[in-house]
Amino acid sequence: MQPKAKFRKDYRAPDFTITEIYLDIQLDADRTFVTSVLNVERKTEGATHLKLDGHSFDFLSLKLNGQEHVEFERDEESLTVNVAEQADKFQLQIETALNPAQNTSLQGLYQSGDGICTQCEAEGFRQITYMLDRPDVLAKYRTKITASKEKYPFLLSNGNRIAQGKLADGRHWVEWEDPFFKPSYLFALVAGDFDLLQDKFVTKSGREVALEIYVDKGNLDRAGWAMESLKRAMKWDEDRFGLEYDLDIYMIVAVDFFNMGAMENKGLNVFNSKFVLAKPETATDEDYINIESVIAHEYFHNWTGNRITCRDWFQLSLKEGLTVFRDQEFTSDLWSRPAKRIEDVRLLRTVQFAEDASPMAHPIRPEKVIEMNNFYTVTVYEKGAEVIRMIHTLLGEEKFQKGMQLYVAENDGTAATCEDFVSAMERASGVDLAQFRRWYSQSGTPILTVTDEYDEARQVYRLHVSQHTPATADQVEKLSLHIPLKVALIDPTSGQNLPLRSEAAEMSDVLNVTESQQTFEFFGVKTQPVPALLCNFSAPVKLDFSYSKSQLISLLKFAKNDFVRWDAIQLLFNGELKENLTRLQQGGMMQFSHEFGSAIEMLLDNVEDPQLTALMVTMPKETDFAELFDTIDPVGIAKVREFLIESIAAYFEDRLYKLYNANKCGTYRVCEQDIAKRALRNVCLSYLAFTDLGEKLVKTHYDQANNMTDTLAALSAATKAELECRDELLADFEAQWYQDGLVMDKWFALQATRPDEDVLNVVQGLLNHRSFNFNNPNRVRAVVGAFASQNPKAFHNIDGSGYRFLVDMLIKLNDSNPQVASRLIEPLIKLSRYDGQRQTLMRRGLERLKGLDNLARDLFEKIDKSLQ
Ligand code: TRP
Ligand code: ZN
């Protein structure tokens, strides 16, 4: 049976709703019994049949109002009950049995290590029992869990613990009640033996909230940062958004087996342990910041996601785009705002722009879905956040917050739509967002082409702006969008910003681009300026303006906006890469332009903000460069990139070494200043590894490291530069950490991205490594994912070996964990971006998968699209 698509336009409110659920769960890893009592209400007069979702369990019995009921039908994925004779309110009781230990999909109820937990978003609840498993059905939950007290001393669910007791047979039970109405995807249950970190938070209205973080036994010393992060998030949401927590308890559980980052279940978040556990010896600076931001993200969902949820899954960006925007702002307020912006834009440009150019292109509010899990994408999340950010730019903070208040006031306790959000923003601010709404329905990356013109006699400067969105796989016709274009005009002699004035008055620095072609005129412009365009990346578009190298250097020197400065050096990097790739392809000698050299020199000689300098002199990744081309040459890019690294290392060895020495930290502290110093020092090391100093410096760096950031920097430098000490260091690391999966993931990913010709053999060997486990998504991503997405040279080997390897892995994952399989297949479905020979090989791989007789919906959707 071919999977069927669902369309946004087909949304219909449900005929029945469920107002209350009582779950009685007799928990055991091998056989769990679930009794569910549903209070059902008819919403549509005359509705005769109630169709409930459910699959992947044993169905045991059904009762209606306490009586055995036989008028029902079942198929692969549903139970339809004839309720024609029933009053408008009735009760169903359903018994099911399931096997958490065998559930490798990590959706529904499953075993993780020695514990048991749930993952219900998007449609996992239906793997536990029959349910109206859709986000617009909001019910009150009461959950009683019974299990062995020895194996599962902690039994957790949403809301408040209302009763507990012991049974004579060694089992115990706990009953939970969640006072808030919620959709089934926010249900959670956790059972296991944990170490528990406890704290409390007093909200601004004076309520005390118990905070609890549950981690595997022995990991208590790694839970502190997560707790501090949670408290910072709770405080920030009160200060910046005026939003306060609403239950008396907030629990976080870290589990090792998890398909994604974390899950915002009401009052009981479940986290991938990667986003909870941290201590200096095991976590890098990046890990610390990521943990804080994911903890915050899930916490922020309590309002933007849980109190106000989504009417249907097409509206996913309503909660995800908005919550990503909120977590980005949180990180920006607490740490370096420009550094955060740069990281976010880099992700958007490499991954989201690539998604727009792929067979899976979709608007932030998709129109058509086969498998919902496939739409937890960078488009819905990060581009969704960019759309919210544009609203913020158009309205300003004050009106945006007024809009938030109206949105919350109007939609609290309901399942809402993206339109409800935009409408609240519009009415609260008085800003017309009519054309802006197209960002929700139109996919693709707009291209803004800008040319300029200076009329010296009249002192008028003009920017001619045209917009064009190329057709995408899902949508051919494109309309003009409302694009906020933030600009500054820089006098390249004085370095000052020129005032922006129209003929009559002062002008805003945000231009409203709404037409396909438009001209903006600036008056009283005394010298020909260099335009800083798309300041702060004010819209998720590609900018096409032919900057000369000397103009880019002016931006680098003078722009007030740090993002613009970073972007200027990116353009210079891109120029070097492109020019040399052409030389390489034409059999010429590669070389390094004078302007580029002087730009790097200037950056290394004037370090004001080490964090920014680090970001600016970091060599862009292969995947960053790939997005410059319609047809990607993975081997050429790798060669030129290595040439650029070696050239920078050779030319600037002295300066790099000086900065390396000047940025040493003492005792490890996670603070902005030290993070910045380590970042700069370690970037210097990454270049110096390619000089004669490399061998000694890297080895010493490794030996003297007192934290994982520095250890990993040394290990990475040794690996990328193929130093002699590499194998010794890798072996040393392995011996120290082999029992620790999370730490080993760093080692696995490094191995999988080795520059060596025979890296695929190494990768195949890793599958048998003592720390590897094919059922753990983090391990699989570290080995298979890193190889396929971060080692393009090897993955796209012209002999097809990389593709064959990935397909072999996907065939196994199709059975064990389709959700993970569907993420890992991404590099393979982007076949149209490669030359004919590679396309043929990639197609062959996709066809091999398509032929599987039990192909999961997740993979089917992507393969089907990419073979069209
Ligand atoms: N809603 C979760 C988040 O914050 C992500 C999520 C969606 C998820 N589906 C999931 C997590 C499945 C784990 C498994 O962003
Ligand atoms: Zn989220």
Side-chain angles (χ1 to χ4, degrees):
M1 192 183 72
Q2 265 214 355
K4 267 182 72 180
K6 283 192 182 146
F7 293 83
R8 181 171 73 91
K9 62 173 167 46
D10 293 340
Y11 173 80
R12 281 210 320 133
D15 288 337
F16 297 88
T17 195
I18 291 164
T19 53
E20 272 175 88
I21 303 189
Y22 172 67
L23 291 167
D24 181 328
I25 301 179
Q26 309 278 329
L27 203 64
D28 181 81
D30 297 315
R31 193 133 171 103
T32 288
F33 292 92
V34 178
T35 304
S36 167
V37 180
L38 307 172
N39 286 353
V40 187
E41 262 183 54
R42 183 182 281 110
K43 304 291 274 187
T44 308
E45 215 189 296
T48 56
H49 287 75
L50 170 62
K51 184 175 176 185
L52 299 173
D53 311 293
H55 64 86
S56 304
F57 49 66
D58 295 335
F59 169 67
L60 303 181
S61 75
L62 171 70
K63 283 184 185 164
L64 205 157
N65 291 334
Q67 302 294 311
E68 210 66 43
H69 188 70
V70 289
E71 286 179 55
F72 65 81
E73 277 176 29
R74 293 198 314 131
D75 66 16
E76 307 280 64
E77 49 192 23
S78 64
L79 165 77
T80 306
V81 191
N82 183 345
V83 292
E85 304 302 315
Q86 302 308 313
D88 284 346
K89 294 189 181 184
F90 54 92
Q91 194 175 67
L92 289 180
Q93 180 174 328
I94 300 162
E95 273 184 291
T96 59
L98 39 153
N99 184 335
Q102 304 269 300
N103 180 359
T104 55
S105 76
L106 314 188
Q107 305 179 65
L109 185 75
Y110 67 90
Q111 184 167 25
S112 171
D114 295 328
I116 294 177
C117 66
T118 52
Q119 172 54 43
C120 293
E121 190 178 7
E123 298 177 334
F125 193 90
R126 63 182 69 181
Q127 298 191 33
I128 300 172
T129 180
Y130 284 115
M131 178 61 185
L132 271 178
D133 191 15
R134 45 187 288 170
D136 58 352
V137 171
L138 307 182
K140 269 197 189 165
Y141 284 69
R142 200 153 54 87
T143 305
K144 181 178 177 185
I145 312 166
T146 308
S148 150
K149 186 168 167 84
E150 198 198 331
K151 278 199 222 158
Y152 308 107
F154 293 98
L155 302 174
L156 313 175
S157 190
N158 320 82
N160 305 308
R161 199 184 271 112
I162 52 169
Q164 53 195 322
K166 264 203 277 195
L167 300 178
D169 58 2
R171 293 187 304 157
H172 68 147
W173 58 272
V174 180
E175 195 165 319
W176 293 82
E177 183 172 60
D178 183 351
F180 290 93
F181 282 88
K182 68 166 175 283
S184 49
Y185 82 87
L186 290 174
F187 170 79
L189 172 162
V190 174
D193 193 3
F194 301 101
D195 275 345
L196 170 58
L197 180 64
Q198 290 182 292
D199 206 328
K200 63 181 187 196
F201 181 83
V202 180
T203 69
K204 64 173 179 176
S205 68
R207 277 191 321 100
E208 194 173 297
V209 182
L211 309 179
E212 302 189 335
I213 299 185
Y214 295 81
V215 296
D216 276 357
K217 290 242 150 213
N219 276 338
L220 210 52
D221 62 340
R222 294 199 221 186
W225 177 257
M227 183 63 88
E228 294 309 310
S229 300
L230 175 60
K231 289 189 283 181
R232 285 194 287 271
M234 295 177 85
K235 179 74 169 66
W236 182 89
D237 214 15
E238 292 183 348
D239 292 347
R240 175 99 185 253
F241 279 75
L243 297 172
E244 193 176 328
Y245 189 60
D246 54 11
L247 281 166
D248 297 331
I249 179 168
Y250 193 89
M251 295 173 279
I252 290 175
V253 184
V255 301
D256 288 334
F257 290 72
F258 204 68
N259 281 347
M260 310 251 274
M263 182 61 212
E264 71 264 25
N265 318 300
K266 184 80 189 186
L268 177 56
N269 290 181
V270 178
F271 271 62
N272 187 325
S273 55
K274 171 183 167 65
F275 292 114
V276 173
L277 303 177
K279 59 181 175 182
E281 305 89 87
T282 62
T284 63
D285 293 339
E286 196 189 335
D287 291 330
Y288 275 92
I289 304 294
N290 287 342
I291 287 168
E292 187 188 66
S293 102
V294 177
I295 295 259
H297 178 98
E298 305 312 330
Y299 174 73
F300 297 154
H301 268 316
N302 191 53
W303 278 97
T304 52
N306 301 2
R307 293 283 293 248
I308 304 175
T309 190
C310 301
R311 187 193 68 174
D312 55 80
W313 288 122
F314 297 98
Q315 316 294 327
L316 180 61
S317 201
L318 174 70
K319 74 175 176 83
E320 295 304 346
L322 179 53
T323 303
V324 171
F325 172 78
R326 277 152 52 68
D327 83 54
Q328 290 175 346
E329 282 300 294
F330 167 72
T331 302
S332 306
D333 282 347
L334 267 64
W335 303 86
S336 157
R337 180 168 284 272
K340 175 63 177 161
R341 191 65 190 135
I342 288 166
E343 300 287 6
D344 291 339
V345 172
R346 189 151 64 185
L347 176 70
L348 196 83
R349 279 184 176 157
T350 54
V351 190
Q352 200 281 319
F353 285 9
E355 185 157 85
D356 275 339
S358 86
M360 274 294 286
H362 56 278
I364 64 167
R365 184 184 56 203
E367 301 291 349
K368 178 187 171 190
V369 165
I370 291 180
E371 169 52 58
M372 191 51 217
N373 283 330
N374 282 343
F375 289 84
Y376 289 78
T377 60
V378 270
T379 299
V380 167
Y381 276 65
E382 320 310 312
K383 186 179 178 182
E386 292 301 318
V387 170
I388 305 293
R389 184 170 295 283
M390 286 190 286
I391 297 179
H392 187 272
T393 302
L394 293 170
L395 270 59
E397 168 76 4
E398 201 180 312
K399 286 181 179 166
F400 183 89
Q401 290 298 349
K402 269 177 71 184
M404 277 299 300
Q405 278 169 20
L406 184 61
Y407 169 64
V408 169
E410 289 181 342
N411 298 286
D412 188 13
T414 75
T417 62
C418 296
E419 174 53 29
D420 294 327
F421 179 82
V422 178
S423 162
M425 284 287 156
E426 194 167 48
R427 284 175 288 122
S429 67
V431 175
D432 179 359
L433 296 172
Q435 185 184 0
F436 186 86
R437 282 174 170 76
R438 290 178 183 165
W439 283 104
Y440 283 89
S441 52
Q442 185 162 297
S443 56
T445 312
I447 299 172
L448 266 192
T449 306
V450 183
T451 58
D452 68 343
E453 182 191 347
Y454 182 54
D455 181 340
E456 196 172 355
R458 292 182 50 221
Q459 303 205 331
V460 173
Y461 179 72
R462 295 189 189 88
L463 288 173
H464 304 291
V465 181
S466 68
Q467 62 165 301
H468 164 71
T469 305
T472 48
D474 62 322
Q475 192 180 54
V476 179
E477 299 295 330
K478 302 292 179 183
L479 304 169
S480 288
L481 295 165
H482 180 176
I483 299 171
L485 175 62
K486 193 171 152 103
V487 302
L489 302 181
I490 297 170
D491 175 345
T493 323
S494 70
Q496 294 304 305
N497 273 3
L498 299 164
L500 305 181
R501 289 183 33 221
S502 68
E503 192 147 28
E506 222 172 272
M507 255 168 100
S508 158
D509 61 354
V510 178
L511 309 178
N512 286 293
V513 176
T514 53
E515 312 287 320
S516 62
Q517 283 195 10
Q518 247 168 305
T519 295
F520 298 90
E521 287 193 317
F522 305 86
F523 289 80
V525 180
K526 301 214 159 45
T527 51
Q528 165 123 34
V530 177
L533 302 169
L534 210 65
C535 296
N536 249 345
F537 199 68
S538 60
V541 303
K542 289 184 185 168
L543 176 71
D544 178 2
F545 180 87
S546 331
Y547 282 112
S548 68
K549 285 187 184 170
S550 75
Q551 283 181 313
L552 290 175
I553 288 176
S554 293
L555 289 181
L556 194 55
K557 269 194 197 148
F558 301 129
K560 306 267 179 293
N561 187 269
D562 287 324
F563 171 79
V564 168
R565 298 183 60 227
W566 174 81
D567 212 20
I569 190 78
Q570 301 313 297
L571 290 174
L572 287 164
F573 268 111
N574 294 348
E576 294 307 302
L577 186 104
K578 278 187 179 167
E579 286 159 22
N580 282 303
L581 192 56
T582 309
R583 289 186 189 112
L584 189 73
Q585 285 160 350
Q586 294 170 352
M589 282 273 286
M590 291 195 270
Q591 51 184 279
F592 194 89
S593 84
H594 171 73
E595 292 94 336
F596 180 65
S598 64
I600 297 288
E601 185 175 304
M602 183 174 84
L603 291 173
L604 296 176
D605 282 345
N606 302 281
V607 179
E608 275 162 33
D609 177 343
Q611 177 96 51
L612 268 185
T613 306
L615 286 166
M616 290 202 279
V617 302
T618 296
M619 180 60 58
K621 294 205 219 106
E622 289 90 335
T623 45
D624 294 315
F625 285 136
E627 284 317 297
L628 299 171
F629 305 95
D630 290 333
T631 303
I632 301 165
D633 171 0
V635 176
I637 289 175
K639 273 198 187 132
V640 177
R641 186 174 177 275
E642 194 171 319
F643 163 79
L644 293 175
I645 294 173
E646 283 168 358
S647 309
I648 292 178
Y651 277 104
F652 302 112
E653 180 172 348
D654 293 348
R655 285 179 171 83
L656 290 163
Y657 189 55
K658 208 176 105 200
L659 283 178
Y660 176 83
N661 285 321
N663 285 278
K664 199 164 156 52
C665 298
T667 320
Y668 183 79
R669 291 177 310 169
V670 184
C671 63
E672 195 172 335
Q673 208 187 8
D674 283 6
I675 290 178
K677 280 184 165 184
R678 277 190 291 274
L680 182 54
R681 180 173 157 94
N682 287 330
V683 172
C684 292
L685 185 71
S686 74
Y687 286 111
L688 290 166
F690 286 84
T691 69
D692 289 343
L693 292 173
E695 205 63 60
K696 188 154 168 270
L697 213 55
V698 168
K699 178 104 175 39
T700 313
H701 198 88
Y702 183 89
D703 290 339
Q704 293 182 349
N706 64 354
N707 63 82
M708 181 53 77
T709 306
D710 288 331
T711 302
L712 196 64
L715 210 56
S716 166
T719 308
K720 304 288 173 200
E722 303 187 66
L723 298 179
E724 259 167 45
C725 63
R726 170 180 71 172
D727 292 330
E728 179 197 329
L729 300 188
L730 284 169
D732 180 82
F733 188 98
E734 194 270 354
Q736 192 179 347
W737 295 111
Y738 73 92
Q739 324 90 318
D740 191 313
L742 282 183
V743 176
M744 284 304 286
D745 284 342
K746 303 172 194 303
W747 185 90
F748 281 132
L750 253 188
Q751 295 276 22
T753 54
R754 282 163 80 118
D756 317 31
E757 286 302 324
D758 72 336
V759 57
L760 183 55
N761 287 332
V762 175
V763 170
Q764 256 148 347
L766 295 177
L767 301 177
N768 299 315
H769 188 276
R770 54 179 166 172
S771 312
F772 189 78
N773 175 351
F774 198 78
N775 285 331
N776 185 305
N778 290 357
R779 295 308 91 76
V780 173
R781 282 187 284 257
V783 175
V784 184
F787 173 76
S789 70
Q790 300 301 317
N791 195 347
K793 186 181 79 172
F795 175 64
H796 292 285
N797 193 319
I798 201 72
D799 66 6
S801 55
Y803 308 143
R804 275 197 302 279
F805 170 71
L806 179 61
V807 171
D808 290 343
M809 295 296 105
L810 292 175
I811 289 172
K812 283 179 70 179
L813 285 164
N814 179 60
D815 292 328
S816 61
N817 189 332
Q819 198 183 350
V820 166
S822 190
R823 291 197 168 247
L824 291 182
I825 200 178
E826 279 295 322
L828 194 63
I829 67 169
K830 303 197 166 86
L831 67 170
S832 71
R833 301 290 295 279
Y834 295 88
D835 55 85
Q837 203 178 341
R838 287 191 170 88
Q839 275 193 39
T840 307
L841 293 164
M842 292 168 93
R843 183 173 293 273
R844 201 170 292 159
L846 289 166
E847 270 157 2
R848 182 148 71 97
L849 286 165
K850 182 136 200 220
L852 294 177
D853 45 7
N854 62 341
L855 187 63
R857 289 203 301 180
D858 317 52
L859 284 177
F860 169 83
E861 182 168 38
K862 293 190 177 180
I863 293 169
D864 190 51
K865 282 185 178 168
S866 39
L867 289 177
Q868 267 168 31

